[in-house]
Amino acid sequence: MNEAFKALSDPTRRRILHLLRKRDLTAGEIAEHFSMTKPSLSHHLNTLKQANLVLRERQGQHILYSLNTTVLQEVMGWFLDLAERPSRKGREK
């Protein structure tokens, strides 16, 4: 899960995930939303892939990227579990 948190720490990667929330996209379609070099975008996509936050599937000459909702649910579950724990603030003196 550490890889997922590392990947989510970058605003560009969070924006890519937001785009993929709407529909699956090719790398070229993702690139249309950013003004960065292809190698930079590829680095971000590979980081998301290594963290298992995105899945990729070859379709002909293109690679289609989609959200891996299983890992996103695991990360969200961790946050919700953390939020539900009682706070120690005020109890320790």
Side-chain angles (χ1 to χ4, degrees):
M1 190 175 319
N2 287 339
E3 290 295 319
F5 287 118
K6 178 182 172 186
L8 291 169
S9 71
D10 185 273
T12 299
R13 292 191 281 269
R14 290 193 306 266
R15 187 167 171 216
I16 291 170
L17 293 174
H18 184 76
L19 291 169
L20 292 173
R21 190 179 82 186
K22 296 175 185 173
R23 68 181 181 94
D24 298 350
L25 298 168
T26 65
E29 290 170 327
I30 294 169
E32 292 173 4
H33 297 271
F34 298 92
S35 57
M36 66 175 64
T37 65
K38 287 183 181 183
S40 292
L41 180 62
S42 179
H43 169 74
H44 286 295
L45 291 170
N46 283 329
T47 300
L48 290 168
K49 172 74 171 98
Q50 291 298 316
N52 291 317
L53 292 169
V54 298
L55 304 171
R56 59 184 180 191
E57 178 184 335
R58 181 168 291 281
Q59 291 190 345
Q61 294 180 339
H62 301 284
I63 297 176
L64 191 65
Y65 289 87
S66 61
L67 282 179
N68 183 355
T69 55
T70 303
V71 173
L72 288 173
Q73 288 173 348
E74 181 181 324
V75 171
M76 291 305 298
W78 184 87
F79 275 116
L80 291 173
D81 182 52
L82 185 64
E84 290 175 357
R85 293 184 185 190
S87 173
R88 289 186 176 185
K89 195 173 188 177
R91 285 198 252 168
E92 296 179 18
K93 292 187 179 190

